[in-house]
Amino acid sequence: MPVDYDPYSDAAMTDATGLYRDLRAEGCPHYMEKYDAWALARYADVKAVSLKGQCLDFTHGQTPGQVLLGEAVLESFSTKNGKEHRQWRGLIANDFTLAAVEAQKPRYRELARRLWSELRPSGRMDVYGDLANRFFCINAGHKLGLPADEAEKYRGLIDNLLHREKGQVGATSERNQQAFAQLTQELAAYIQKIRADPSLASGYTRIYMEAEIDGRKLTDDELLMYLITLMVVGSETTPMVIAAFFYYLDHHPAQKQAVLADHGLIRQAFLEAARFKQPSNMLARKALTDFEVGGRQIRQGQGILFLYASANRDETQFENADSFDIFRQDAEPNMTFGLGSHVCLGKHVGIEAGVIIIEEILKDISDYQIIHEEVVPAYGEHLAGFISMPMTFTLKA
Ligand code: HEM
């Protein structure tokens, strides 16, 4: 019997871990007739297809909703193929290299310290909402030239954009649509302001406003889609990993004590949290050509789901894949940041800033306890993990 898998079923949107195990056990890509699309659950299949860039079409979008349901595509470099993708991504890629991120670490640390110092006296916080999500919105805004208070306004809008009601299929709710309309309006007003006075433009906004490739400049509508993409992509994922870091360590007291005693372990614990609870649950594209993978023939135009969260739990890739183990020897390679031409651009930002935020917290506390009854798991097709992680903590004497 083939597995009954629909990424929009309540079971899959609540927690797909068991379904992913069953899909991997099928031993090949899983066909979803309803969407004329394939779900890749096994590490080897996700890897093989990720490396077939010339067979993949990103122009129909990258999210499950865009590829399976035909939702509107936000056209930015992420939704371009081949050379065009490389050229437009390449305009800001230098700012994401490890060396460039190293140079930004003092700014990350200062911001992390400032936000944490506001929370420290209370002995309690939601590490996702009060700290990590704030940090990454302010950081994304900063890179677009937006002041911190303005960037923070977008936090709630991004949450509302990604929110799913029980059983909701796609970004169809009033809450999603209002959030998108407001985000669009606010950023369109920002573009108008800098068009009127270009000296106000900075960061990636300036780069994309001034860029000309093959004699073509971005229109205001296109620039808007770039800004929305760059505001949204980095803001949820790393905070979810930080939430998972605290959550799973709290469930594994010996590992927690080891990290509290030796902050040199923070990085590997962060990376294990990202493998174990991969936040970008799945992404999608269409097939540009016919090709074969895992014994199945994919046809041109069919959708393909890359189930990254499943690949990261593949028992043929990771020993005891379903165990959270910060000391595992087989942590790399993994699918946390994807693979191939559209591999995560912000990988080093996520890791370095994520580690710094955790270092700043752990420097000051001797222990913490998760308030389990108040933890909020993410619900929906797109993201997996936690979107609220309340905890109490004890400050060092
Ligand atoms: C731990 C945190 C993060 C995780 C797990 C993550 C994961 C991913 C994954 C899996 C992809 C591949 C998308 C695909 O397959 O289509 C991706 C793409 C991307 N990520 Fe991240 N990401 C993280 C943090 C960030 C941050 C902090 C930024 C920005 C500062 C960022 C910016 C991007 C961009 C721009 C792309 C699109 C790349 C392209 O299409 O060329 N990410 N991310």
Side-chain angles (χ1 to χ4, degrees):
M1 269 285 277
V3 179
D4 182 14
Y5 173 67
D6 181 336
Y8 293 102
S9 68
D10 184 52
M13 293 206 288
T14 302
D15 179 3
T17 312
L19 279 167
Y20 289 167
R21 198 175 298 125
D22 295 345
L23 287 175
R24 290 193 300 273
E26 286 186 337
C28 60
H30 175 91
Y31 183 62
M32 298 172 291
E33 195 174 352
K34 184 173 175 186
Y35 305 107
D36 189 22
W38 297 85
L40 308 179
R42 298 187 309 163
Y43 186 92
D45 294 340
V46 173
K47 178 178 173 187
V49 182
S50 297
L51 296 174
K52 285 182 189 291
Q54 73 289 358
C55 303
L56 301 175
D57 185 358
F58 294 82
T59 62
H60 297 274
Q62 266 195 318
T63 67
Q66 289 161 342
V67 172
L68 303 187
L69 308 174
E71 285 175 0
V73 176
L74 300 188
E75 284 187 37
S76 74
F77 60 83
S78 287
T79 57
K80 294 189 192 307
N81 295 338
K83 181 178 159 204
E84 235 194 321
H85 166 250
R86 281 195 301 281
Q87 286 175 321
W88 289 97
R89 172 176 160 131
L91 288 172
I92 57 168
N94 278 348
D95 198 45
F96 289 90
T97 61
L98 190 52
V101 169
E102 280 291 326
Q104 297 179 61
K105 278 164 89 170
R107 183 175 58 77
Y108 299 157
R109 198 170 290 282
E110 196 191 315
L111 177 58
R113 271 191 194 147
R114 178 167 73 73
L115 299 179
W116 164 235
S117 69
E118 290 170 16
L119 301 163
R120 200 170 36 208
S122 71
R124 179 194 157 121
M125 69 172 160
D126 168 6
V127 72
Y128 176 91
D130 295 336
L131 182 48
N133 187 227
R134 278 188 80 192
F135 178 101
F136 280 93
C137 274
I138 294 172
N139 185 56
H142 173 80
K143 303 307 291 187
L144 296 180
L146 292 165
D149 53 342
E150 225 170 289
E152 277 220 64
K153 277 198 311 208
Y154 298 119
R155 254 170 10 109
L157 294 180
I158 296 169
D159 285 349
N160 285 340
L161 197 63
L162 299 171
H163 179 85
R164 297 289 181 267
E165 301 296 337
K166 215 156 171 52
Q168 182 186 330
V169 176
T172 47
S173 71
E174 183 139 346
R175 184 167 170 178
N176 302 147
Q177 284 169 9
Q178 268 180 7
F180 184 69
Q182 204 180 333
L183 195 61
T184 308
Q185 264 171 21
E186 304 262 357
L187 286 171
Y190 175 57
I191 291 173
Q192 270 182 6
K193 196 167 96 182
I194 55 175
R195 285 285 190 211
D197 181 358
S199 71
L200 296 175
S202 64
Y204 306 149
T205 306
R206 182 181 202 123
I207 292 175
Y208 282 117
M209 196 174 84
E210 292 177 351
E212 183 169 330
I213 291 184
D214 296 338
R216 211 173 81 68
K217 289 187 120 178
L218 295 181
T219 64
D220 281 3
D221 282 351
E222 287 170 327
L223 181 59
L224 177 63
M225 294 306 147
Y226 272 74
L227 299 198
I228 294 179
T229 303
L230 288 167
M231 194 68 218
V232 173
V233 279
S235 67
E236 307 280 322
T237 41
T238 320
M240 290 174 94
V241 175
I242 293 174
F245 169 100
F246 284 99
Y247 183 84
Y248 288 110
L249 282 181
D250 201 48
H251 275 79
H252 296 85
Q255 296 185 51
K256 179 182 178 187
Q257 286 317 315
V259 175
L260 289 174
D262 177 3
H263 296 180
L265 297 172
I266 291 174
R267 179 175 298 262
Q268 67 202 60
F270 174 89
L271 293 172
E272 175 64 352
R275 178 197 72 85
F276 193 74
K277 206 68 181 169
Q278 150 69 287
S280 30
N281 182 25
M282 68 176 83
L283 284 149
R285 328 67 192 71
K286 285 200 171 189
L288 192 59
T289 60
D290 293 356
F291 62 90
E292 188 269 334
V293 63
R296 292 289 179 271
Q297 191 64 35
I298 315 273
R299 302 269 172 226
Q300 180 185 1
Q302 289 185 320
I304 310 168
L305 288 186
F306 289 63
L307 303 181
Y308 291 123
S310 172
N312 262 2
R313 293 283 194 104
D314 190 325
E315 37 294 282
T316 65
Q317 181 69 18
F318 306 99
E319 210 180 321
N320 297 323
D322 280 336
S323 300
F324 177 81
D325 178 5
I326 67 168
F327 298 108
R328 65 171 52 253
Q329 297 298 307
D330 56 2
E332 300 266 358
N334 58 53
M335 279 297 157
T336 299
F337 296 99
L339 187 69
S341 56
H342 285 250
V343 66
C344 177
L345 186 59
K347 172 179 175 174
H348 299 306
V349 179
I351 297 175
E352 300 308 323
V355 167
I356 284 175
I357 292 170
I358 296 169
E359 279 173 357
E360 287 303 316
I361 300 170
L362 295 196
K363 220 157 59 182
D364 290 343
I365 67 174
S366 54
D367 203 356
Y368 71 91
Q369 274 78 40
I370 299 296
I371 308 172
H372 288 276
E373 58 283 11
E374 292 180 22
V375 169
V376 181
Y379 177 82
E381 76 286 11
H382 193 33
L383 296 172
F386 306 98
I387 52 168
S388 183
M389 190 55 64
M391 59 167 79
T392 54
F393 49 82
T394 314
L395 292 175
K396 282 181 183 161

